[in-house]
Amino acid sequence: MYIGKHFFDLDNKSYLMGILNLTPDSFSDGGAYSTIDDALWMAEKMVEEGASIIDIGGESTRPGHVKITDQEEVERVVPVIERIHKEIDVAISLDTYKYEVAREGILAGADMINDIWGLKWDRRLAGLIAQNKVACCLMHNRDLPCTEDFGRHFCLDMEASLDMAGKAGIARDKIILDPGVGFGKTYEQNLWILNHLEIMQRWDLPVLLGTSRKSVIGITLGTPVSQREEGTIVTTVLGRQKGASIFRVHDVRANKRALKMTDAILIS
């Protein structure tokens, strides 16, 4: 599939999406990139280490995060998108579920919309994506965790997002799916989806996995955010074995090496 002008062979290769949070309150790196130059430096570093996509976020989505206005989010992300689009040869993803932010981000040069609500937060977003022919990542999410038959409800939730995408006219070759580890799920459900990630193959679409430094790793290992790299790499390797092809991470170099080794084994 194409993300902007960049071709991704998602049937045969794995790719890394580097996380660039322009937020003061993200759970892992809040406030680290408070200027455009800092953000540009980090984007360049992640590309050098092996990232093929840079995912830019202007509002924290951690549990208990404080929502900000559309305008504040636009002011955070648009200048950085413009600079990266101008100066770095990389696909740009915008992590937002808001119509106004997505519209301004696409105008600034974003090639993809990464929507943590799978088109369900703002029903106008699907049409915007279709009209501009940009790629999108539709993530599984819900207000409250499912209390019974998680696997069936997970699939129904994903089907609802895909139905919205189809009705809006989003082409199938522009859609990526994300199981939403850490969103609207209990600890046990997060482990279940990681163990049964092959369930995503039923839709015959590329799968993005985002587990980097998340609480499911911290709870399992009993480690703070700064000590979750090994746990993240385990989920990356397992996810690759189970069919995921894009991995959204903070630590690009380490995950790149892990994927290179995993792919070498899988194709041998």
Side-chain angles (χ1 to χ4, degrees):
M1 73 179 293
Y2 279 91
I3 301 177
K5 66 179 182 180
H6 304 270
F7 177 72
F8 290 79
D9 182 7
L10 297 174
D11 291 328
N12 301 296
K13 297 181 180 179
S14 59
Y15 298 87
L16 286 170
M17 171 186 275
I19 300 169
L20 184 58
N21 286 322
L22 310 178
T23 55
D25 57 343
S26 290
F27 80 96
S28 176
D29 53 0
Y33 314 110
S34 56
T35 71
I36 297 174
D37 287 340
D38 287 341
L40 186 68
W41 174 85
M42 188 60 191
E44 289 173 337
K45 180 176 183 288
M46 290 191 290
V47 170
E48 289 171 1
E49 292 180 350
S52 300
I53 309 168
I54 300 297
D55 190 45
I56 298 170
E59 178 183 84
S60 174
T61 54
R62 64 178 176 80
H65 73 280
V66 177
K67 293 186 182 298
I68 61 174
T69 65
D70 290 7
Q71 185 57 36
E72 186 175 356
E73 192 171 340
V74 166
E75 290 171 359
R76 287 180 182 178
V77 301
V78 163
V80 174
I81 292 171
E82 289 175 340
R83 281 288 298 276
I84 292 176
H85 179 69
K86 180 180 179 181
E87 300 187 28
I88 305 176
D89 185 23
V90 66
I92 301 173
S93 167
L94 174 55
D95 183 357
T96 190
Y97 52 89
K98 301 174 184 176
Y99 174 87
E100 300 292 346
V101 180
R103 183 184 64 185
E104 295 303 316
I106 291 168
L107 289 173
D111 304 303
M112 171 176 165
I113 300 300
N114 184 12
D115 180 3
I116 66 165
W117 283 103
L119 303 177
K120 297 174 184 177
W121 183 273
D122 190 330
R123 301 302 172 106
R124 299 174 297 166
L125 188 55
L128 179 73
I129 291 168
Q131 179 183 358
N132 286 277
K133 296 182 171 61
V134 293
C136 63
C137 181
L138 308 181
M139 196 187 82
H140 177 268
N141 201 349
R142 51 170 45 223
D143 290 316
L144 296 171
C146 181
T147 57
E148 58 182 24
D149 202 356
F150 171 72
R152 184 174 77 87
H153 286 284
F154 173 87
C155 291
L156 289 173
D157 290 342
M158 292 257 61
E159 291 282 0
S161 288
L162 284 169
D163 184 58
M164 292 177 66
K167 287 179 178 177
I170 300 175
R172 293 276 296 185
D173 65 0
K174 291 295 184 183
I175 299 174
I176 299 164
L177 299 180
D178 179 347
V181 172
F183 289 83
K185 299 172 184 65
T186 65
Y187 168 73
E188 292 78 14
Q189 289 168 353
N190 284 315
L191 291 177
W192 188 93
I193 199 64
L194 285 168
N195 191 31
H196 297 86
L197 195 63
E198 62 275 6
I199 199 173
M200 303 290 290
Q201 299 308 311
R202 67 177 57 198
W203 294 293
D204 195 28
L205 288 167
V207 175
L208 180 151
L209 184 63
T211 61
S212 187
R213 303 180 185 174
K214 286 187 175 176
S215 62
V216 64
I217 297 170
I219 292 170
T220 302
L221 302 181
T223 55
V225 170
S226 61
Q227 297 177 30
R228 298 177 186 174
E229 184 176 1
E230 299 95 336
T232 299
I233 290 170
V234 169
T235 63
T236 294
V237 171
L238 182 67
R240 183 61 181 146
Q241 289 177 300
K242 290 179 175 288
S245 51
I246 303 175
F247 300 85
R248 183 179 182 273
V249 299
H250 298 87
D251 305 295
V252 173
R253 188 188 304 277
N255 282 276
K256 181 71 173 180
R257 290 173 175 171
L259 279 174
K260 184 175 182 179
M261 191 70 223
T262 304
D263 284 343
I265 293 169
L266 292 177
I267 66 174
S268 63

